[in-house]
Amino acid sequence: MRICVVGASGFLGGELVRQAATGHVVGATYLSRPGATAGVDWLPLDVRDRTAVADLIRDFAPDVVVNAAYNQSDWTATALGAAHVADATRSCGGRLVHVSSDAVFSGRAVTYTEDCVPDPITPYGAAKAAAEVAVQAIDPSALIARTSLIIGDSGSSHEELVHALATGRKQGFLFTNEVRCPVHVSDLASALLELAASNRSGTHHVAGPDAMSRHDLGLLIAHRDSLNPAHLPSGLAPSSRPLDVRLNCVQTQKHLRTRLRGAREFLR
């Protein structure tokens, strides 16, 4: 199978490429720097450029496109970029898996199933919600996968923040009142590739079963990495942020061989 990973130099994108490179022909796009995985085609791409997206996907001719590209501070990259990828994938007859986020929800309902209507309260959440609408309108057969905080064995932004705070390299604190459902990057990538190979469409939730605050997650990371958890400062997130967003993944997990582990398990 020919798989194109858009946004492949990011944390999730890099893991998708690593897993897909075993047994598949992989095209991996990047904005500013290629990733390190060998044996794949690293292809420069700015998803804000509609013509460039159309040309790249047409020339690579993928069976599947997994779009993991985003920029939290750039509406065009996050929202319009998703539309450009969806349109180009549909035009070449490929299957699209679009990676979305729990940021599309406000947190007022706390627990969210796949049929819950997005109600974002941040600009990034609004851009991700707009991307979902665009993808659904352009290609109703596409699969949208909402996820949560992505953690690994190292290298994620939250893990890097925990290390910086615990060692005094950065000032700040971890929120005790902002709750998410962390997922391990390898579980997430495996689930996305599994869904890509299926005939499923529509919205799916792909996150871990453990709901926890950013501070509690930081404590688990600190214990795993032999850092002093007492050095992790705590504080409250402002009400302008989604405070408690829990993705219910029960329905999606029924269709997966990949088991989505909770953070208390994979950080043990």
Side-chain angles (χ1 to χ4, degrees):
M1 187 162 62
R2 296 179 65 83
I3 300 176
C4 179
V5 179
V6 179
S9 60
F11 186 58
L12 171 59
E15 180 63 15
L16 283 164
V17 169
R18 188 190 70 79
Q19 292 191 23
T22 303
H24 301 289
V25 177
V26 179
T29 83
Y30 65 94
L31 178 61
S32 58
R33 56 175 178 79
T37 302
V40 304
D41 293 327
W42 286 98
L43 308 166
L45 180 67
D46 186 339
V47 294
R48 296 170 297 184
D49 186 334
R50 180 174 184 170
T51 300
V53 173
D55 289 346
L56 184 146
I57 290 180
R58 182 197 64 229
D59 292 345
F60 187 74
D63 300 300
V64 170
V65 174
V66 182
N67 182 16
Y70 73 97
N71 184 323
Q72 287 201 2
S73 60
D74 189 332
W75 174 281
T76 303
T78 302
L80 284 181
H84 296 160
V85 173
D87 188 46
T89 305
R90 180 193 56 79
S91 295
C92 80
R95 171 166 169 73
L96 175 63
V97 174
H98 172 77
V99 181
S100 190
S101 167
D102 57 10
V104 302
F105 296 122
S106 68
R108 296 187 185 99
V110 180
T111 301
Y112 293 87
T113 54
E114 286 90 342
D115 58 355
C116 288
V117 177
D119 61 341
I121 59 174
T122 64
Y124 173 63
K128 293 298 283 187
E132 288 190 9
V133 172
V135 168
Q136 290 171 328
I138 293 168
D139 185 1
S141 68
L143 187 141
I144 295 171
R146 296 185 185 128
T147 192
S148 190
L149 281 178
I150 306 173
I151 305 297
D153 297 324
S154 66
S156 71
S157 59
H158 195 77
E159 289 166 285
E160 291 174 352
L161 175 60
V162 168
H163 277 250
L165 291 173
T167 57
R169 290 184 288 108
K170 187 170 185 175
Q171 299 298 309
F173 49 82
L174 297 174
F175 300 136
T176 57
N177 62 331
E178 187 171 292
V179 175
R180 297 294 186 269
C181 295
V183 63
H184 196 282
V185 66
S186 65
D187 296 349
L188 177 57
S190 176
L192 291 173
L193 292 172
E194 189 179 336
L195 290 168
S198 74
N199 60 1
R200 301 194 62 77
S201 61
T203 304
H204 291 65
H205 285 178
V206 189
D210 294 343
M212 62 180 59
S213 72
R214 288 180 180 266
H215 185 260
D216 286 342
L217 178 61
L219 294 177
L220 290 177
I221 293 169
H223 282 294
R224 182 198 66 183
D225 296 346
S226 300
L227 301 170
N228 189 342
H231 291 169
L232 289 179
S234 61
L236 297 177
S239 58
S240 58
R241 294 171 62 94
L243 296 182
D244 196 339
V245 180
R246 309 181 188 205
L247 296 183
N248 183 316
C249 305
V250 172
Q251 290 303 314
T252 297
Q253 181 67 84
K254 291 178 180 178
H255 302 284
L256 291 173
R257 295 185 303 276
T258 301
R259 188 170 67 86
L260 301 170
R261 296 169 293 163
R264 292 183 180 88
E265 178 181 349
F266 65 70
L267 288 172
R268 199 161 46 198

mmCIF file of all heavy atoms in Angstrom, residues 12-59:
data_model
loop_
_atom_site.group_PDB
_atom_site.id
_atom_site.type_symbol
_atom_site.label_atom_id
_atom_site.label_comp_id
_atom_site.label_asym_id
_atom_site.label_seq_id
_atom_site.Cartn_x
_atom_site.Cartn_y
_atom_site.Cartn_z
ATOM 1 N N LEU A 12 3.761 12.812 16.264
ATOM 2 C CA LEU A 12 2.895 11.734 15.787
ATOM 3 C C LEU A 12 3.269 11.325 14.373
ATOM 4 O O LEU A 12 3.346 10.132 14.059
ATOM 5 C CB LEU A 12 1.435 12.160 15.838
ATOM 6 C CG LEU A 12 0.431 11.211 15.174
ATOM 7 C CD1 LEU A 12 0.484 9.827 15.808
ATOM 8 C CD2 LEU A 12 -0.970 11.793 15.232
ATOM 9 N N GLY A 13 3.501 12.297 13.505
ATOM 10 C CA GLY A 13 3.839 11.986 12.118
ATOM 11 C C GLY A 13 5.059 11.099 11.998
ATOM 12 O O GLY A 13 5.090 10.158 11.196
ATOM 13 N N GLY A 14 6.073 11.363 12.828
ATOM 14 C CA GLY A 14 7.283 10.553 12.795
ATOM 15 C C GLY A 14 7.021 9.105 13.173
ATOM 16 O O GLY A 14 7.581 8.184 12.581
ATOM 17 N N GLU A 15 6.137 8.887 14.165
ATOM 18 C CA GLU A 15 5.805 7.524 14.558
ATOM 19 C C GLU A 15 4.965 6.829 13.494
ATOM 20 O O GLU A 15 5.135 5.634 13.232
ATOM 21 C CB GLU A 15 5.064 7.532 15.900
ATOM 22 C CG GLU A 15 4.653 6.167 16.417
ATOM 23 C CD GLU A 15 5.814 5.233 16.726
ATOM 24 O OE1 GLU A 15 6.966 5.700 16.826
ATOM 25 O OE2 GLU A 15 5.562 4.013 16.866
ATOM 26 N N LEU A 16 4.067 7.565 12.861
ATOM 27 C CA LEU A 16 3.294 7.002 11.755
ATOM 28 C C LEU A 16 4.218 6.525 10.637
ATOM 29 O O LEU A 16 4.046 5.420 10.105
ATOM 30 C CB LEU A 16 2.319 8.046 11.213
ATOM 31 C CG LEU A 16 1.060 8.299 12.027
ATOM 32 C CD1 LEU A 16 0.399 9.611 11.600
ATOM 33 C CD2 LEU A 16 0.068 7.145 11.862
ATOM 34 N N VAL A 17 5.189 7.348 10.297
ATOM 35 C CA VAL A 17 6.138 6.985 9.239
ATOM 36 C C VAL A 17 6.940 5.753 9.643
ATOM 37 O O VAL A 17 7.120 4.819 8.848
ATOM 38 C CB VAL A 17 7.074 8.166 8.935
ATOM 39 C CG1 VAL A 17 8.238 7.729 8.038
ATOM 40 C CG2 VAL A 17 6.296 9.291 8.267
ATOM 41 N N ARG A 18 7.420 5.741 10.888
ATOM 42 C CA ARG A 18 8.232 4.605 11.351
ATOM 43 C C ARG A 18 7.453 3.299 11.251
ATOM 44 O O ARG A 18 7.981 2.288 10.774
ATOM 45 C CB ARG A 18 8.675 4.846 12.793
ATOM 46 C CG ARG A 18 9.681 3.820 13.301
ATOM 47 C CD ARG A 18 9.912 3.957 14.789
ATOM 48 N NE ARG A 18 8.749 3.534 15.557
ATOM 49 C CZ ARG A 18 8.426 2.269 15.802
ATOM 50 N NH1 ARG A 18 9.169 1.291 15.315
ATOM 51 N NH2 ARG A 18 7.348 1.978 16.517
ATOM 52 N N GLN A 19 6.183 3.317 11.680
ATOM 53 C CA GLN A 19 5.388 2.093 11.633
ATOM 54 C C GLN A 19 4.978 1.736 10.207
ATOM 55 O O GLN A 19 4.991 0.563 9.822
ATOM 56 C CB GLN A 19 4.152 2.238 12.514
ATOM 57 C CG GLN A 19 4.463 2.301 14.006
ATOM 58 C CD GLN A 19 3.217 2.178 14.864
ATOM 59 O OE1 GLN A 19 2.195 1.635 14.437
ATOM 60 N NE2 GLN A 19 3.279 2.673 16.097
ATOM 61 N N ALA A 20 4.611 2.743 9.417
ATOM 62 C CA ALA A 20 4.135 2.473 8.058
ATOM 63 C C ALA A 20 5.254 2.000 7.140
ATOM 64 O O ALA A 20 4.999 1.290 6.158
ATOM 65 C CB ALA A 20 3.473 3.715 7.477
ATOM 66 N N ALA A 21 6.496 2.384 7.453
ATOM 67 C CA ALA A 21 7.627 2.036 6.584
ATOM 68 C C ALA A 21 7.883 0.534 6.552
ATOM 69 O O ALA A 21 8.590 0.040 5.669
ATOM 70 C CB ALA A 21 8.885 2.772 7.043
ATOM 71 N N THR A 22 7.323 -0.199 7.507
ATOM 72 C CA THR A 22 7.450 -1.656 7.509
ATOM 73 C C THR A 22 6.333 -2.250 6.668
ATOM 74 O O THR A 22 5.198 -2.387 7.106
ATOM 75 C CB THR A 22 7.365 -2.209 8.941
ATOM 76 O OG1 THR A 22 8.377 -1.601 9.742
ATOM 77 C CG2 THR A 22 7.550 -3.722 8.944
ATOM 78 N N GLY A 23 6.645 -2.520 5.430
ATOM 79 C CA GLY A 23 5.681 -3.181 4.562
ATOM 80 C C GLY A 23 4.922 -2.283 3.608
ATOM 81 O O GLY A 23 4.091 -2.768 2.833
ATOM 82 N N HIS A 24 5.158 -0.975 3.647
ATOM 83 C CA HIS A 24 4.433 -0.057 2.779
ATOM 84 C C HIS A 24 5.397 0.911 2.099
ATOM 85 O O HIS A 24 6.503 1.154 2.589
ATOM 86 C CB HIS A 24 3.402 0.744 3.568
ATOM 87 C CG HIS A 24 2.377 -0.093 4.278
ATOM 88 N ND1 HIS A 24 1.389 -0.787 3.615
ATOM 89 C CD2 HIS A 24 2.210 -0.373 5.595
ATOM 90 C CE1 HIS A 24 0.640 -1.448 4.482
ATOM 91 N NE2 HIS A 24 1.120 -1.217 5.695
ATOM 92 N N VAL A 25 4.953 1.480 0.988
ATOM 93 C CA VAL A 25 5.674 2.571 0.341
ATOM 94 C C VAL A 25 5.175 3.866 0.966
ATOM 95 O O VAL A 25 3.967 4.136 0.955
ATOM 96 C CB VAL A 25 5.426 2.580 -1.184
ATOM 97 C CG1 VAL A 25 6.127 3.772 -1.815
ATOM 98 C CG2 VAL A 25 5.899 1.271 -1.801
ATOM 99 N N VAL A 26 6.090 4.653 1.528
ATOM 100 C CA VAL A 26 5.685 5.810 2.317
ATOM 101 C C VAL A 26 6.241 7.107 1.731
ATOM 102 O O VAL A 26 7.436 7.221 1.455
ATOM 103 C CB VAL A 26 6.156 5.671 3.784
ATOM 104 C CG1 VAL A 26 5.747 6.903 4.598
ATOM 105 C CG2 VAL A 26 5.576 4.411 4.406
ATOM 106 N N GLY A 27 5.347 8.067 1.565
ATOM 107 C CA GLY A 27 5.729 9.439 1.264
ATOM 108 C C GLY A 27 5.484 10.265 2.509
ATOM 109 O O GLY A 27 4.407 10.202 3.107
ATOM 110 N N ALA A 28 6.475 11.015 2.955
ATOM 111 C CA ALA A 28 6.404 11.738 4.218
ATOM 112 C C ALA A 28 6.653 13.222 3.970
ATOM 113 O O ALA A 28 7.741 13.597 3.532
ATOM 114 C CB ALA A 28 7.435 11.179 5.195
ATOM 115 N N THR A 29 5.665 14.060 4.239
ATOM 116 C CA THR A 29 5.834 15.483 3.970
ATOM 117 C C THR A 29 6.315 16.227 5.211
ATOM 118 O O THR A 29 6.038 15.833 6.345
ATOM 119 C CB THR A 29 4.532 16.137 3.472
ATOM 120 O OG1 THR A 29 3.690 16.490 4.581
ATOM 121 C CG2 THR A 29 3.778 15.234 2.506
ATOM 122 N N TYR A 30 7.045 17.296 4.962
ATOM 123 C CA TYR A 30 7.554 18.144 6.041
ATOM 124 C C TYR A 30 7.544 19.594 5.578
ATOM 125 O O TYR A 30 7.597 19.882 4.383
ATOM 126 C CB TYR A 30 8.972 17.723 6.430
ATOM 127 C CG TYR A 30 10.002 17.937 5.331
ATOM 128 C CD1 TYR A 30 10.761 19.098 5.258
ATOM 129 C CD2 TYR A 30 10.210 16.964 4.343
ATOM 130 C CE1 TYR A 30 11.685 19.290 4.251
ATOM 131 C CE2 TYR A 30 11.127 17.147 3.326
ATOM 132 C CZ TYR A 30 11.876 18.317 3.290
ATOM 133 O OH TYR A 30 12.787 18.509 2.277
ATOM 134 N N LEU A 31 7.473 20.509 6.549
ATOM 135 C CA LEU A 31 7.472 21.933 6.222
ATOM 136 C C LEU A 31 8.878 22.504 6.200
ATOM 137 O O LEU A 31 9.285 23.141 5.232
ATOM 138 C CB LEU A 31 6.615 22.711 7.227
ATOM 139 C CG LEU A 31 6.567 24.232 7.027
ATOM 140 C CD1 LEU A 31 5.984 24.581 5.652
ATOM 141 C CD2 LEU A 31 5.761 24.888 8.142
ATOM 142 N N SER A 32 9.659 22.286 7.274
ATOM 143 C CA SER A 32 10.970 22.912 7.374
ATOM 144 C C SER A 32 12.137 21.937 7.455
ATOM 145 O O SER A 32 13.258 22.282 7.097
ATOM 146 C CB SER A 32 11.013 23.835 8.607
ATOM 147 O OG SER A 32 10.720 23.116 9.783
ATOM 148 N N ARG A 33 11.904 20.724 7.945
ATOM 149 C CA ARG A 33 13.011 19.757 8.053
ATOM 150 C C ARG A 33 12.480 18.342 7.904
ATOM 151 O O ARG A 33 11.439 18.007 8.466
ATOM 152 C CB ARG A 33 13.714 19.891 9.407
ATOM 153 C CG ARG A 33 12.775 19.743 10.580
ATOM 154 C CD ARG A 33 13.493 19.766 11.926
ATOM 155 N NE ARG A 33 12.545 19.667 13.023
ATOM 156 C CZ ARG A 33 11.971 18.547 13.429
ATOM 157 N NH1 ARG A 33 12.264 17.411 12.817
ATOM 158 N NH2 ARG A 33 11.113 18.542 14.440
ATOM 159 N N PRO A 34 13.166 17.504 7.157
ATOM 160 C CA PRO A 34 12.727 16.107 7.026
ATOM 161 C C PRO A 34 12.987 15.344 8.313
ATOM 162 O O PRO A 34 13.804 15.746 9.149
ATOM 163 C CB PRO A 34 13.591 15.578 5.883
ATOM 164 C CG PRO A 34 14.815 16.429 5.915
ATOM 165 C CD PRO A 34 14.370 17.786 6.357
ATOM 166 N N GLY A 35 12.293 14.228 8.483
ATOM 167 C CA GLY A 35 12.509 13.369 9.635
ATOM 168 C C GLY A 35 13.696 12.458 9.431
ATOM 169 O O GLY A 35 14.422 12.556 8.434
ATOM 170 N N ALA A 36 13.883 11.551 10.394
ATOM 171 C CA ALA A 36 15.086 10.719 10.386
ATOM 172 C C ALA A 36 14.868 9.326 9.819
ATOM 173 O O ALA A 36 15.847 8.613 9.561
ATOM 174 C CB ALA A 36 15.624 10.605 11.815
ATOM 175 N N THR A 37 13.622 8.911 9.605
ATOM 176 C CA THR A 37 13.371 7.541 9.154
ATOM 177 C C THR A 37 13.889 7.335 7.735
ATOM 178 O O THR A 37 13.550 8.104 6.821
ATOM 179 C CB THR A 37 11.869 7.213 9.213
ATOM 180 O OG1 THR A 37 11.410 7.394 10.557
ATOM 181 C CG2 THR A 37 11.612 5.779 8.788
ATOM 182 N N ALA A 38 14.686 6.302 7.567
ATOM 183 C CA ALA A 38 15.240 5.999 6.244
ATOM 184 C C ALA A 38 14.265 5.136 5.450
ATOM 185 O O ALA A 38 13.343 4.530 6.003
ATOM 186 C CB ALA A 38 16.573 5.280 6.395
ATOM 187 N N GLY A 39 14.473 5.097 4.139
ATOM 188 C CA GLY A 39 13.679 4.231 3.286
ATOM 189 C C GLY A 39 12.327 4.781 2.906
ATOM 190 O O GLY A 39 11.471 4.037 2.403
ATOM 191 N N VAL A 40 12.092 6.075 3.163
ATOM 192 C CA VAL A 40 10.838 6.714 2.763
ATOM 193 C C VAL A 40 11.166 7.933 1.918
ATOM 194 O O VAL A 40 12.286 8.442 1.941
ATOM 195 C CB VAL A 40 9.989 7.127 3.991
ATOM 196 C CG1 VAL A 40 9.723 5.932 4.894
ATOM 197 C CG2 VAL A 40 10.671 8.237 4.779
ATOM 198 N N ASP A 41 10.185 8.392 1.169
ATOM 199 C CA ASP A 41 10.362 9.603 0.363
ATOM 200 C C ASP A 41 9.991 10.822 1.202
ATOM 201 O O ASP A 41 8.818 11.021 1.525
ATOM 202 C CB ASP A 41 9.467 9.552 -0.883
ATOM 203 C CG ASP A 41 9.878 8.470 -1.854
ATOM 204 O OD1 ASP A 41 11.095 8.190 -1.937
ATOM 205 O OD2 ASP A 41 8.997 7.910 -2.521
ATOM 206 N N TRP A 42 10.991 11.628 1.576
ATOM 207 C CA TRP A 42 10.727 12.858 2.331
ATOM 208 C C TRP A 42 10.450 13.985 1.345
ATOM 209 O O TRP A 42 11.286 14.313 0.502
ATOM 210 C CB TRP A 42 11.905 13.186 3.242
ATOM 211 C CG TRP A 42 11.961 12.259 4.420
ATOM 212 C CD1 TRP A 42 12.737 11.151 4.563
ATOM 213 C CD2 TRP A 42 11.160 12.346 5.597
ATOM 214 N NE1 TRP A 42 12.479 10.538 5.757
ATOM 215 C CE2 TRP A 42 11.521 11.252 6.422
ATOM 216 C CE3 TRP A 42 10.178 13.237 6.039
ATOM 217 C CZ2 TRP A 42 10.922 11.034 7.666
ATOM 218 C CZ3 TRP A 42 9.592 13.021 7.280
ATOM 219 C CH2 TRP A 42 9.962 11.933 8.081
ATOM 220 N N LEU A 43 9.267 14.576 1.459
ATOM 221 C CA LEU A 43 8.762 15.505 0.455
ATOM 222 C C LEU A 43 8.404 16.847 1.102
ATOM 223 O O LEU A 43 7.543 16.892 1.984
ATOM 224 C CB LEU A 43 7.508 14.914 -0.208
ATOM 225 C CG LEU A 43 7.661 13.489 -0.761
ATOM 226 C CD1 LEU A 43 6.290 12.899 -1.083
ATOM 227 C CD2 LEU A 43 8.549 13.511 -1.999
ATOM 228 N N PRO A 44 9.040 17.947 0.682
ATOM 229 C CA PRO A 44 8.699 19.249 1.268
ATOM 230 C C PRO A 44 7.303 19.687 0.845
ATOM 231 O O PRO A 44 6.909 19.518 -0.317
ATOM 232 C CB PRO A 44 9.774 20.180 0.694
ATOM 233 C CG PRO A 44 10.222 19.526 -0.569
ATOM 234 C CD PRO A 44 10.105 18.048 -0.330
ATOM 235 N N LEU A 45 6.533 20.234 1.796
ATOM 236 C CA LEU A 45 5.167 20.653 1.488
ATOM 237 C C LEU A 45 4.685 21.684 2.507
ATOM 238 O O LEU A 45 4.844 21.502 3.711
ATOM 239 C CB LEU A 45 4.212 19.449 1.519
ATOM 240 C CG LEU A 45 2.742 19.765 1.219
ATOM 241 C CD1 LEU A 45 2.566 20.201 -0.231
ATOM 242 C CD2 LEU A 45 1.854 18.569 1.532
ATOM 243 N N ASP A 46 4.070 22.730 1.995
ATOM 244 C CA ASP A 46 3.356 23.707 2.821
ATOM 245 C C ASP A 46 1.873 23.499 2.549
ATOM 246 O O ASP A 46 1.390 23.795 1.445
ATOM 247 C CB ASP A 46 3.788 25.131 2.449
ATOM 248 C CG ASP A 46 3.191 26.184 3.366
ATOM 249 O OD1 ASP A 46 2.162 25.911 4.028
ATOM 250 O OD2 ASP A 46 3.733 27.309 3.419
ATOM 251 N N VAL A 47 1.134 22.982 3.534
ATOM 252 C CA VAL A 47 -0.269 22.642 3.297
ATOM 253 C C VAL A 47 -1.133 23.879 3.033
ATOM 254 O O VAL A 47 -2.273 23.743 2.573
ATOM 255 C CB VAL A 47 -0.871 21.842 4.478
ATOM 256 C CG1 VAL A 47 -0.209 20.489 4.597
ATOM 257 C CG2 VAL A 47 -0.792 22.622 5.785
ATOM 258 N N ARG A 48 -0.588 25.066 3.300
ATOM 259 C CA ARG A 48 -1.337 26.287 3.001
ATOM 260 C C ARG A 48 -1.390 26.572 1.498
ATOM 261 O O ARG A 48 -2.219 27.369 1.041
ATOM 262 C CB ARG A 48 -0.702 27.467 3.737
ATOM 263 C CG ARG A 48 -0.763 27.356 5.255
ATOM 264 C CD ARG A 48 0.071 28.417 5.940
ATOM 265 N NE ARG A 48 1.490 28.259 5.610
ATOM 266 C CZ ARG A 48 2.456 29.011 6.135
ATOM 267 N NH1 ARG A 48 2.156 29.949 7.026
ATOM 268 N NH2 ARG A 48 3.722 28.808 5.804
ATOM 269 N N ASP A 49 -0.521 25.903 0.743
ATOM 270 C CA ASP A 49 -0.440 26.092 -0.708
ATOM 271 C C ASP A 49 -1.286 25.012 -1.387
ATOM 272 O O ASP A 49 -0.861 23.869 -1.535
ATOM 273 C CB ASP A 49 1.019 26.003 -1.154
ATOM 274 C CG ASP A 49 1.220 26.319 -2.623
ATOM 275 O OD1 ASP A 49 0.278 26.129 -3.412
ATOM 276 O OD2 ASP A 49 2.334 26.746 -2.982
ATOM 277 N N ARG A 50 -2.484 25.391 -1.823
ATOM 278 C CA ARG A 50 -3.418 24.416 -2.373
ATOM 279 C C ARG A 50 -2.856 23.718 -3.602
ATOM 280 O O ARG A 50 -2.991 22.489 -3.751
ATOM 281 C CB ARG A 50 -4.732 25.112 -2.722
ATOM 282 C CG ARG A 50 -5.785 24.190 -3.295
ATOM 283 C CD ARG A 50 -7.099 24.904 -3.474
ATOM 284 N NE ARG A 50 -8.149 24.007 -3.934
ATOM 285 C CZ ARG A 50 -9.427 24.328 -3.990
ATOM 286 N NH1 ARG A 50 -9.827 25.539 -3.613
ATOM 287 N NH2 ARG A 50 -10.318 23.455 -4.426
ATOM 288 N N THR A 51 -2.213 24.469 -4.473
ATOM 289 C CA THR A 51 -1.665 23.879 -5.700
ATOM 290 C C THR A 51 -0.552 22.893 -5.382
ATOM 291 O O THR A 51 -0.473 21.804 -5.973
ATOM 292 C CB THR A 51 -1.140 24.979 -6.632
ATOM 293 O OG1 THR A 51 -2.215 25.861 -6.973
ATOM 294 C CG2 THR A 51 -0.549 24.385 -7.902
ATOM 295 N N ALA A 52 0.309 23.259 -4.428
ATOM 296 C CA ALA A 52 1.409 22.367 -4.053
ATOM 297 C C ALA A 52 0.878 21.061 -3.465
ATOM 298 O O ALA A 52 1.405 19.980 -3.749
ATOM 299 C CB ALA A 52 2.327 23.063 -3.053
ATOM 300 N N VAL A 53 -0.162 21.167 -2.646
ATOM 301 C CA VAL A 53 -0.759 19.955 -2.063
ATOM 302 C C VAL A 53 -1.331 19.065 -3.159
ATOM 303 O O VAL A 53 -1.103 17.849 -3.186
ATOM 304 C CB VAL A 53 -1.853 20.329 -1.042
ATOM 305 C CG1 VAL A 53 -2.589 19.080 -0.559
ATOM 306 C CG2 VAL A 53 -1.254 21.066 0.148
ATOM 307 N N ALA A 54 -2.075 19.669 -4.075
ATOM 308 C CA ALA A 54 -2.684 18.903 -5.165
ATOM 309 C C ALA A 54 -1.622 18.229 -6.027
ATOM 310 O O ALA A 54 -1.768 17.049 -6.397
ATOM 311 C CB ALA A 54 -3.554 19.825 -6.016
ATOM 312 N N ASP A 55 -0.549 18.949 -6.331
ATOM 313 C CA ASP A 55 0.502 18.379 -7.181
ATOM 314 C C ASP A 55 1.210 17.228 -6.489
ATOM 315 O O ASP A 55 1.468 16.184 -7.106
ATOM 316 C CB ASP A 55 1.517 19.469 -7.542
ATOM 317 C CG ASP A 55 0.957 20.507 -8.516
ATOM 318 O OD1 ASP A 55 -0.112 20.246 -9.109
ATOM 319 O OD2 ASP A 55 1.592 21.570 -8.669
ATOM 320 N N LEU A 56 1.530 17.402 -5.199
ATOM 321 C CA LEU A 56 2.270 16.360 -4.491
ATOM 322 C C LEU A 56 1.449 15.078 -4.379
ATOM 323 O O LEU A 56 1.953 13.984 -4.654
ATOM 324 C CB LEU A 56 2.680 16.864 -3.100
ATOM 325 C CG LEU A 56 3.539 15.902 -2.271
ATOM 326 C CD1 LEU A 56 4.537 16.676 -1.414
ATOM 327 C CD2 LEU A 56 2.690 15.009 -1.358
ATOM 328 N N ILE A 57 0.202 15.205 -3.985
ATOM 329 C CA ILE A 57 -0.620 14.006 -3.804
ATOM 330 C C ILE A 57 -0.924 13.349 -5.143
ATOM 331 O O ILE A 57 -0.933 12.120 -5.267
ATOM 332 C CB ILE A 57 -1.895 14.367 -3.015
ATOM 333 C CG1 ILE A 57 -1.507 14.698 -1.566
ATOM 334 C CG2 ILE A 57 -2.917 13.223 -3.054
ATOM 335 C CD1 ILE A 57 -2.655 15.078 -0.668
ATOM 336 N N ARG A 58 -1.134 14.142 -6.172
ATOM 337 C CA ARG A 58 -1.345 13.558 -7.507
ATOM 338 C C ARG A 58 -0.105 12.792 -7.965
ATOM 339 O O ARG A 58 -0.206 11.665 -8.472
ATOM 340 C CB ARG A 58 -1.649 14.671 -8.512
ATOM 341 C CG ARG A 58 -1.928 14.155 -9.933
ATOM 342 C CD ARG A 58 -1.801 15.258 -10.944
ATOM 343 N NE ARG A 58 -0.443 15.777 -11.002
ATOM 344 C CZ ARG A 58 -0.139 17.082 -10.954
ATOM 345 N NH1 ARG A 58 -1.083 17.996 -10.857
ATOM 346 N NH2 ARG A 58 1.129 17.466 -11.006
ATOM 347 N N ASP A 59 1.074 13.368 -7.756
ATOM 348 C CA ASP A 59 2.302 12.730 -8.233
ATOM 349 C C ASP A 59 2.652 11.490 -7.415
ATOM 350 O O ASP A 59 3.127 10.496 -7.970
ATOM 351 C CB ASP A 59 3.474 13.726 -8.172
ATOM 352 C CG ASP A 59 3.317 14.868 -9.173
ATOM 353 O OD1 ASP A 59 2.475 14.744 -10.079
ATOM 354 O OD2 ASP A 59 4.015 15.890 -9.009
#
